[in-house]
Amino acid sequence: METQVIYNTDLHFEHKLWQRELTFWEDELKSFNNRLSELVTRWTDKKILAQLDYYQNQFILHGTVIDKLQENITMHEVNMSAHYKKDEDVLNYSFVKKHIEFRNKMETQRHIYSELKKDFFRFISKYM
């Protein structure tokens, strides 16, 4: 069995990519909420207002997920920093396993967010 060496710098690079992506999602959510505000002033139909409320709740939930993901990245970075200070550039198996699990969470969230955006864009194109 071949052993693969994974360095702090590799994981740090991926963390930075994820942080940028999460920041972008936060900015998009602000824009989407602005669109919702515009639509609320245009419509009085209860069905449409219920859909607006649904999207607002989804955006709030997604914002909460973004915050949690950012918190997890920060915790990973703190852990990696502690290893680095001890001159341990190679991480242990359990830490790398957690990183891979987090990578899978990011993939899942990308898919969920992408579907939400598609649905929202279909909705606003119909009612804007």
Side-chain angles (χ1 to χ4, degrees):
M1 181 174 154
E2 187 176 319
T3 302
Q4 181 180 1
V5 178
I6 299 175
Y7 296 97
N8 284 339
T9 53
D10 298 331
L11 301 183
H12 178 71
F13 177 75
E14 193 166 26
H15 286 163
K16 288 299 177 191
L17 291 175
W18 291 339
Q19 287 173 323
R20 286 186 202 105
E21 185 173 13
L22 293 170
T23 299
F24 180 76
W25 290 353
E26 282 180 321
D27 287 343
E28 278 189 324
L29 288 177
K30 289 175 189 172
S31 175
F32 297 161
N33 279 310
N34 288 338
R35 286 284 180 206
L36 287 177
S37 296
E38 291 174 29
L39 287 168
V40 165
T41 62
R42 293 183 186 181
W43 293 94
T44 57
D45 184 294
K46 289 183 182 187
K47 284 183 180 179
I48 295 171
L49 292 176
Q51 287 180 296
L52 292 173
D53 190 48
Y54 165 79
Y55 285 112
Q56 182 180 34
N57 289 333
Q58 290 299 307
F59 297 156
I60 290 168
L61 288 173
H62 195 74
T64 302
V65 169
I66 289 170
D67 291 342
K68 185 66 176 166
L69 292 171
Q70 288 172 329
E71 185 179 307
N72 286 339
I73 290 170
T74 299
M75 288 173 25
H76 266 227
E77 286 290 318
V78 167
N79 188 319
M80 286 178 4
S81 177
H83 282 278
Y84 186 75
K85 287 178 184 175
K86 295 178 189 175
D87 287 329
E88 298 172 357
D89 194 32
V90 179
L91 299 170
N92 64 31
Y93 175 77
S94 64
F95 184 80
V96 173
K97 184 179 175 190
K98 286 180 185 178
H99 183 86
I100 292 168
E101 290 169 2
F102 189 77
R103 184 184 295 147
N104 292 335
K105 286 180 187 178
M106 281 295 294
E107 275 298 316
T108 300
Q109 201 55 38
R110 260 186 215 109
H111 176 72
I112 291 169
Y113 185 60
S114 174
E115 291 301 312
L116 175 61
K117 282 174 45 173
K118 287 177 195 174
D119 289 344
F120 183 63
F121 290 148
R122 279 191 288 268
F123 174 77
I124 62 172
S125 68
K126 188 175 181 180
Y127 295 106
M128 283 296 285

